Amino acid sequence: MNKTLPDAMEFLNEFLRSIEKVGNRDIVIAPPFTALERVSERLKGTVVMLSAQDVFYEEKGAYTGEVSPLMLRDVGCRFVIIGHSERRQYFNETDETVNKKIKASLKEGLGVIFCIGESLSERNAGRTFDVLRSQVHGGLKGISEIKDIVIAYEPVWAIGTGVTATEEQAEEAHKYIRSEIKDMYGSVADKLRILYGGSVTPENINALMSCPDVDGALVGGASLKAESFAKIVKGG
Ligand code: PGA
């Protein structure tokens, strides 16, 4: 819940200027619903792709306040973030609703950024892998293809806290997630992109990206300023 329309447009103009010479990167930005249409217009002809931060799983109807996958496509979204820890924590998002949202979004041709991650108490209890496993299985239940899915591993204790996972912690979790996906879907798991999220900054992006199983980043706080987000995109 950041940025009014004028803020979003100012950010975007500066960000697009700063990344002009960046090649070989897939860049997605996910503004709030209210800014999607204007941002979408501004992104035409650029390399930057648009994502929403959430979606509802029904196609249409009397669901006051909700937004459907078709509506997101309508305003130019290529992606949607599903299962972010804040949705799980504050808005009763469960593996079951995540699963329904993923299915509905894939059906509409959206790419899905599927977020998972353990809390601090789960990590301290040695349950990290169990939690990741059940989130992966719950979220992907009944889904036969993962080519349009990106997984974001976001340890809840690292989101917005300034405490980043170490390279070892990130790599260990990503490797585990990839092996789990391999068990479920076979060798396409090698092509799956697994993003790390949680207090990513221009200072730590290079170390995180050096981990073999870290394929990208999902950036929150440090993406709110065009300069720091552009630095992260460029690599530190
Ligand atoms: P952060 O947020 O980069 O501020 O930790 C990550 C997120 O919200 O997914």
Side-chain angles (χ1 to χ4, degrees):
M1 205 165 66
N2 285 289
K3 296 201 190 296
T4 60
L5 268 181
D7 292 344
M9 299 321 286
E10 192 187 330
F11 164 89
L12 201 51
N13 288 328
E14 191 187 337
F15 178 66
L16 291 172
R17 259 196 316 276
S18 322
I19 57 154
E20 252 165 21
K21 293 185 193 74
V22 178
N24 191 25
R25 294 279 192 281
D26 288 334
I27 309 164
V28 180
I29 61 168
F33 287 126
T34 47
L36 285 173
E37 190 178 1
R38 284 279 298 283
V39 169
S40 179
E41 283 299 315
R42 180 66 185 85
L43 291 181
K44 282 192 180 136
T46 75
V47 296
V48 180
M49 296 175 277
L50 187 65
S51 174
Q53 300 180 4
D54 186 32
V55 68
F56 190 53
Y57 48 76
E58 292 290 347
E59 272 175 34
K60 62 189 280 197
Y63 301 101
T64 305
E66 293 297 328
V67 173
S68 73
L70 176 62
M71 290 167 173
L72 296 184
R73 290 274 301 191
D74 204 26
V75 292
C77 286
R78 295 270 302 276
F79 288 91
V80 57
I81 297 172
I82 296 178
H84 190 278
S85 78
E86 285 147 20
R87 304 294 320 169
R88 294 178 189 260
Q89 192 178 343
Y90 305 131
F91 304 102
N92 301 322
E93 189 87 278
T94 62
D95 290 339
E96 199 186 337
T97 55
V98 165
N99 179 246
K100 286 183 177 173
K101 289 179 177 188
I102 295 178
K103 284 178 176 158
S105 299
L106 293 176
K107 193 171 161 209
E108 199 50 58
L110 286 162
V112 168
I113 302 168
F114 166 35
C115 302
I116 56 174
E118 81 290 357
S119 67
L120 187 59
S121 59
E122 289 164 341
R123 173 164 284 266
N124 289 341
R127 296 190 48 235
T128 298
F129 288 174
D130 287 348
V131 170
L132 296 179
R133 185 167 195 284
S134 78
Q135 288 177 339
V136 164
H137 283 264
L140 297 178
K141 195 168 170 194
I143 292 170
S144 56
E145 271 199 348
I146 53 156
K147 68 175 173 42
D148 295 322
I149 296 179
V150 172
I151 293 185
Y153 168 62
E154 300 207 297
V156 179
W157 47 270
I159 299 178
T161 58
V163 182
T164 318
T166 63
E167 289 152 64
E168 291 72 25
Q169 287 169 325
E171 176 57 23
E172 185 188 40
H174 283 226
K175 209 183 178 121
Y176 177 76
I177 293 164
R178 200 180 300 283
S179 72
E180 204 54 42
I181 295 290
K182 202 164 212 162
D183 284 351
M184 296 164 76
Y185 295 96
S187 60
V188 287
D190 295 330
K191 293 205 197 97
L192 172 73
R193 290 185 190 193
I194 308 178
L195 315 181
Y196 168 80
S199 299
V200 173
T201 64
E203 288 72 40
N204 59 32
I205 184 69
N206 288 347
L208 288 161
M209 288 302 295
S210 72
C211 302
D213 282 291
V214 175
D215 305 309
L218 200 167
V219 189
S223 73
L224 296 176
K225 290 214 167 68
E227 193 195 345
S228 64
F229 189 40
K231 274 192 190 156
I232 291 172
V233 169
K234 289 180 195 165

